[in-house]
Amino acid sequence: MKYPIVQPFLPEIGLYQQQITEIFARNRLTNKGPCEEKLTEKLKEYLGVEHLLLVANGTMALHIAYQVMGITKAITTPFTFAATLGALRMQNIATRFSDVCQNTFNLDPNKLDSADLEWADALVPVHVFANPCDVEVIDNIAERYQLKVIYDAAHCFASKYKGESLLKYGDCATLSLHATKLFHTVEGGAVIFKHKSDLEKAKKIINFGQNGQQVPILIGTNAKMSEMHAAMGLCVFDYVDDILAHRVALFNHYKERLNHFLNFQHWKPNTSTNGAYLTVLFNNERELLYVREHLDGMGIQTRRYFYPDLNELNLYCEHRDLPCSQLISRTVLCLPMYYELQLSDVDYICDNIIALLKRFREVNGTKASL
Ligand SMILES: Cc1ncc(COP(=O)(O)O)c(C=O)c1O
């Protein structure tokens, strides 16, 4: 593919080699080594959060968050990645879906059913593509119904809302630090807790539930981040401001170029976008499929993220009638977004999309049905 949908950021190889040489000299490969500790401190400061725990990946971050919160019945949305829901169901947490907002792609608090809210003990909203959920409204609902709130913030590295880290909202929030994310540790994730006591509990859970004397006192697992992974994080960290600025420039350029032809996710006011993803919304699925197929033929890879809507799968929980989630899952497409991409590449991709849209709409009209 000339333009893959994502490409991992690679730091200067010498930087990583130096880290690995030091790890070899210490012969300490995991279990709270110095790289992991240093990266934890750097990220706490950079993200402006207090209680951050590095873990093996973003999916384990969700598992740990759910377990620390001790939840048994959750409400979430089906317009998300399989991990949000897979981790709930693997822990036998009963789950009900609620619909998203057609414009923001996030959980729509107005559509939450009061019987579900009485039933649940947790809300698991997703900040989709790093667009903040209605955090204040969700906080109020959670307080009224005595619910824990766990945000799947996998996409939200460095996202800010009202000038502060978005990761501060909820009882906890989880990050993915996967190789394709804007900041990564090859595989990795983090949980950010509101309360220190929850962080302390999580530290035990990711290490087999053991206390300091290696006696299991909680049910736990192995979700530790290794030194090799943390070392990659330390190397990528040196570039993070540059990566962010470049992605935001690409994001803005895509929007400028495509604004008159396609719709975009409505961004919550007072938010700084991080350029994690660039998603466009087509008038209908036929139009999306037409453009996608032709882009593919030109070496421009796109991704239907998230498709299908998890509500359509009959795999996780009872199917419901959730029209907004269904509609956006059929009409949203992610376009190439990664550090190596240049503004001129965005121009090339957009020129082709615009030409394809014009051709399709000339034949079918702008409002061809699904
Ligand atoms: C919304 C969401 N949650 C969780 C994850 C899982 O993260 P990881 O791949 O690090 O396990 C992803 C992955 O991209 C995601 O998009």
Side-chain angles (χ1 to χ4, degrees):
M1 273 286 169
K2 188 169 176 206
Y3 295 111
I5 179 76
V6 285
Q7 215 175 62
F9 173 84
L10 286 175
E12 158 71 53
I13 193 166
L15 284 177
Y16 193 58
Q17 281 164 340
Q18 178 60 33
Q19 290 285 351
I20 297 298
T21 305
E22 289 173 20
I23 291 172
F24 271 58
R26 285 192 295 268
N27 196 3
R28 175 148 194 181
L29 305 187
T30 187
N31 285 64
K32 285 202 81 50
C35 290
E36 195 246 85
E37 291 199 337
K38 195 167 167 190
L39 185 61
T40 302
E41 290 311 312
K42 277 181 182 275
L43 290 179
K44 276 163 59 179
E45 193 190 337
Y46 188 79
L47 300 173
V49 296
E50 234 179 314
H51 308 306
L52 177 146
L53 181 68
L54 287 170
V55 295
N57 56 60
T59 306
M60 283 315 290
L62 287 163
H63 276 278
I64 304 304
Y66 299 153
Q67 203 183 339
V68 170
M69 293 298 134
I71 63 173
T72 59
K73 293 178 224 142
I75 302 172
T76 190
T77 51
F79 187 66
T80 184
F81 192 56
T84 322
L85 208 54
L88 282 169
R89 299 299 297 123
M90 277 186 79
Q91 292 196 26
N92 269 333
I93 297 165
T95 309
R96 292 184 184 172
F97 284 134
S98 189
D99 208 358
V100 294
C101 162
Q102 191 172 328
N103 298 322
T104 66
F105 306 174
N106 289 334
L107 177 101
D108 186 340
N110 297 319
K111 293 181 185 143
L112 283 164
D113 180 274
S114 56
D116 288 346
L117 288 167
E118 296 285 358
W119 164 86
D121 56 18
L123 289 173
V124 182
V126 184
H127 299 303
V128 173
F129 308 134
N131 187 23
C133 292
D134 258 334
V135 285
E136 286 101 349
V137 179
I138 289 172
D139 268 0
N140 284 339
I141 293 172
E143 204 181 313
R144 185 152 23 110
Y145 288 89
Q146 304 265 292
L147 306 173
K148 296 280 185 193
V149 181
I150 298 141
Y151 282 108
D152 184 338
H155 305 161
C156 301
F157 189 89
S159 296
K160 290 197 171 153
Y161 173 58
K162 293 188 174 167
E164 292 229 41
S165 174
L166 178 59
L167 303 168
K168 286 186 171 177
Y169 286 88
D171 293 281
C172 59
T174 63
L175 271 179
S176 165
L177 306 179
H178 181 259
T180 54
K181 297 293 188 286
L182 74 88
F183 173 80
H184 76 89
T185 57
V186 186
E187 289 278 359
V191 194
I192 294 87
F193 294 98
K194 180 166 273 168
H195 303 293
K196 186 162 189 288
S197 54
D198 289 331
L199 170 71
E200 295 306 324
K201 190 171 171 189
K203 282 183 184 168
K204 295 187 181 75
I205 291 175
I206 66 164
N207 192 22
F208 313 102
Q210 297 179 136
N211 65 9
Q213 284 72 48
Q214 299 189 343
V215 179
I217 53 168
L218 293 170
I219 296 189
T221 184
N222 179 1
K224 301 186 299 292
M225 176 176 280
S226 84
E227 285 293 277
M228 270 66 175
H229 291 88
M232 177 60 90
L234 288 173
C235 297
V236 177
F237 190 83
D238 288 350
Y239 302 81
V240 72
D241 283 333
D242 195 23
I243 297 172
L244 256 171
H246 187 60
R247 279 178 169 265
V248 171
L250 293 171
F251 178 96
N252 289 333
H253 197 54
Y254 264 123
K255 280 191 87 166
E256 259 169 45
R257 288 294 322 272
L258 295 176
N259 217 4
H260 298 303
F261 301 92
L262 289 165
N263 291 313
F264 289 87
Q265 184 180 22
H266 290 197
W267 220 252
K268 192 167 174 64
N270 299 313
T271 300
S272 64
T273 145
N274 63 1
Y277 295 91
L278 192 287
T279 55
V280 289
L281 200 55
F282 286 82
N283 282 343
N284 54 67
E285 191 175 19
R286 280 180 53 214
E287 192 177 80
L288 177 149
L289 293 174
Y290 176 84
V291 172
R292 177 173 153 85
E293 189 189 325
H294 286 80
L295 289 179
D296 200 58
M298 297 167 184
I300 302 170
Q301 192 180 29
T302 60
R303 184 174 180 195
R304 299 190 75 183
Y305 194 52
F306 310 104
Y307 177 86
D309 157 6
L310 299 178
N311 185 39
E312 299 298 298
L313 289 178
N314 286 330
L315 179 62
Y316 296 99
C317 45
E318 201 181 62
H319 181 275
R320 285 185 162 180
D321 184 23
L322 304 174
C324 290
S325 180
Q326 186 185 63
L327 178 71
I328 59 174
S329 73
R330 290 180 182 186
T331 50
V332 163
L333 194 65
C334 284
L335 302 180
M337 175 59 94
Y338 47 92
Y339 183 75
E340 296 294 325
L341 202 68
Q342 299 304 312
L343 294 180
S344 54
D345 299 322
V346 171
D347 279 326
Y348 175 80
I349 294 167
C350 292
D351 286 345
N352 282 300
I353 292 175
I354 292 165
L356 288 165
L357 280 172
K358 283 184 174 161
R359 205 185 311 155
F360 181 87
R361 287 172 184 175
E362 252 169 44
V363 178
N364 298 283
T366 48
K367 298 281 176 212
S369 63
L370 276 172

